[in-house]
Amino acid sequence: MSSTQRRVVMGDRARNALIESRLTPNMISMTGLVLNVVAAVLVTQRYFFLAGVAFVVGSVMDTLDGRYSRMSGKGTAFGAFLDSTLDRIEEGIVLTTVAAYFSSRGMDFAVAACVVAVLMSLMVSYTRARAEALGVENKGGLATRPVRVVILSIGLVFAKGAGVFDADLLAPAVYVLAVLTIFTVFQRVLHVRKALADSVA
């Protein structure tokens, strides 16, 4: 047996062992929530680099729960609902603590940008859900969940005092988030309008 075949066999065994374990997609989703709450707490303590790491890992868990659900066959309708709900909560929690940090520094414009980023992030998700209720797939746009995670992660890891290149990218990251989420909402609204018009024509 070649080394490649051995790796495939070992990977299959590990996957089967994981599927046969008591691990459920909901457990992964809840772990992601806990890590994002940890990230939020770390932001309040100004440990931005660690907050960024916790946010990244927690967000990765959010992507793994769906994949594990499909792979293991353990997914449920409630699990899918819970996953989507927790995603919105997690993003809001971290951005809220970031807004509180900006407020403590008198950065009113940055606070407003956080509010816009949270609201428009929710609207990005809402436009997808509402469109799918109308029978229109609506997953496109610039500021999808993975893109938003990357942008906010960069802002946290390279925040002032985070100890990485002594940069201060948290506020710029939030401004980018606010602009891109607004743009994405318009993208999705226009997409649905066109799709529904085409279906009538």
Side-chain angles (χ1 to χ4, degrees):
M1 183 182 295
S2 67
S3 58
T4 301
Q5 290 174 321
R6 281 197 296 270
R7 283 196 296 271
V8 171
V9 170
M10 290 177 65
D12 289 342
R13 288 177 179 171
R15 183 186 63 183
N16 292 336
L18 190 62
I19 291 173
E20 292 170 4
S21 71
R22 294 184 179 180
L23 181 67
T24 67
N26 290 353
M27 290 178 183
I28 299 176
S29 297
M30 293 305 298
T31 301
L33 173 63
V34 170
L35 287 170
N36 276 275
V37 170
V38 169
V41 172
L42 289 169
V43 169
T44 66
Q45 301 303 309
R46 309 296 188 261
Y47 294 124
F48 294 110
F49 181 79
L50 293 176
V53 172
F55 179 67
V56 169
V57 177
S59 299
V60 168
M61 300 297 283
D62 290 335
T63 63
L64 289 179
D65 54 8
R67 293 182 182 179
Y68 180 67
S69 175
R70 292 187 294 272
M71 178 185 73
S72 65
K74 296 179 180 179
T76 62
F78 174 74
F81 167 79
L82 180 66
D83 178 30
S84 296
T85 302
L86 293 182
D87 284 351
R88 307 290 81 77
I89 293 173
E90 291 160 5
E91 202 167 0
I93 286 174
V94 175
L95 280 170
T96 298
T97 56
V98 170
Y101 163 70
F102 287 143
S103 179
S104 70
R105 297 180 62 190
M107 300 171 65
D108 294 340
F109 188 74
V111 173
C114 283
V115 174
V116 171
V118 171
L119 176 60
M120 290 298 107
S121 293
L122 291 173
M123 287 305 300
V124 168
S125 299
Y126 177 79
T127 50
R128 174 181 173 180
R130 191 69 185 91
E132 290 178 349
L134 296 172
V136 178
E137 186 173 296
N138 196 21
K139 298 180 181 179
L142 290 176
T144 56
R145 168 74 170 160
V147 172
R148 299 197 304 271
V149 167
V150 169
I151 293 171
L152 185 53
S153 298
I154 291 172
L156 290 169
V157 171
F158 293 95
K160 185 177 180 66
V164 181
F165 305 122
D166 197 27
D168 191 5
L169 299 184
L170 186 53
V174 172
Y175 297 147
V176 171
L177 269 179
V179 171
L180 290 186
T181 49
I182 291 172
F183 186 73
T184 301
V185 170
F186 279 106
Q187 281 184 298
R188 292 192 170 185
V189 169
L190 292 175
H191 170 75
V192 173
R193 180 176 181 273
K194 181 178 184 302
L196 293 177
D198 290 345
S199 67
V200 172

